[in-house]
Amino acid sequence: MGKADRGKVWLGVSGLLINEKKEWLVVNKKYGGLKGKWSLPAGFVEQDETADEAIIREVKEETGLSCRVKEMIGLRTGVIKREISDNMVIFLLEADTNQTIVIEDKELDDVQFMDPLELIHHQPTSVMIQYIWENLNHNNKTLIDDINPGDQFGYTAYKLFL
């Protein structure tokens, strides 16, 4: 689905997939505001699917891995250039066993499982990864405000509930 097809209210999904070594599945995108940074697999919800179906599809498309949704862990909501409401539901995922990563090379430079501390302290990552790490085990979804995800996106508002 192209930007024009999404209108002025966007609904995206992102998924945190943790393997048996407690490493996080991350992708390195070739384009956009996250180009060259590690981020979680993500994409937009299509008109014929629910948000949980969308993240399962996106992970499969980007990484070749099959997974299931365990729970919702957060919501990111923002406004881009005072024009577009950009919203993302963040899910905790569980993968099927004995799978091999297959990189979707039109959109991604790399896909890896990485130690979250390595990501936070030694790698260029999306700002959301740090906040998820700090808030992952909280039961209450608390508003985190006054976040700057970087000027490259043009957000005039950006909030996380984690």
Side-chain angles (χ1 to χ4, degrees):
M1 180 184 307
K3 283 185 181 182
D5 297 332
R6 289 195 291 268
K8 299 283 187 178
V9 179
W10 297 354
L11 179 58
V13 290
S14 185
L16 173 58
L17 180 58
I18 304 172
N19 69 11
E20 63 281 349
K21 297 177 188 174
K22 306 296 184 207
E23 297 166 320
W24 292 13
L25 181 68
V26 288
V27 300
N28 198 300
K29 297 197 187 260
K30 288 185 173 182
Y31 64 91
L34 292 174
K35 181 179 180 178
K37 293 185 178 184
W38 293 104
S39 61
L40 299 177
F44 289 98
V45 178
E46 299 288 340
Q47 67 186 24
D48 64 343
E49 63 189 357
T50 61
D52 57 307
E53 292 169 340
I55 191 55
I56 291 168
R57 174 186 50 76
E58 287 289 345
V59 170
K60 183 71 170 177
E61 286 176 2
E62 292 183 359
T63 72
L65 300 176
S66 297
C67 64
R68 350 175 230 293
V69 171
K70 287 180 67 174
E71 61 186 85
M72 187 182 108
I73 59 173
L75 170 70
R76 187 212 68 211
T77 185
V79 177
I80 300 174
K81 299 179 183 175
R82 301 190 191 283
E83 293 179 11
I84 297 170
S85 177
D86 182 23
N87 306 282
M88 178 176 281
V89 180
I90 308 159
F91 293 101
L92 180 62
L93 306 172
E94 183 174 66
D96 296 338
T97 56
N98 299 326
Q99 298 184 78
T100 302
I101 291 173
V102 178
I103 298 170
E104 201 293 345
D105 60 4
K106 290 179 186 167
E107 294 183 12
L108 304 175
D109 279 325
D110 201 0
V111 175
Q112 292 184 30
F113 278 99
M114 291 182 135
D115 181 292
L117 291 176
E118 167 72 14
L119 278 168
I120 292 166
H121 296 297
H122 303 293
Q123 298 293 329
T125 62
S126 71
V127 69
M128 197 169 72
I129 285 180
Q130 172 128 11
Y131 284 96
I132 290 173
W133 172 253
E134 292 171 1
N135 295 281
L136 184 59
N137 294 316
H138 295 172
N139 289 330
N140 298 332
K141 303 302 179 227
T142 304
L143 169 64
I144 304 167
D145 206 351
D146 298 324
I147 299 169
N148 181 0
D151 295 333
Q152 72 270 25
F153 298 106
Y155 280 103
T156 52
Y158 187 95
K159 303 173 185 179
L160 291 170
F161 291 86
L162 298 170

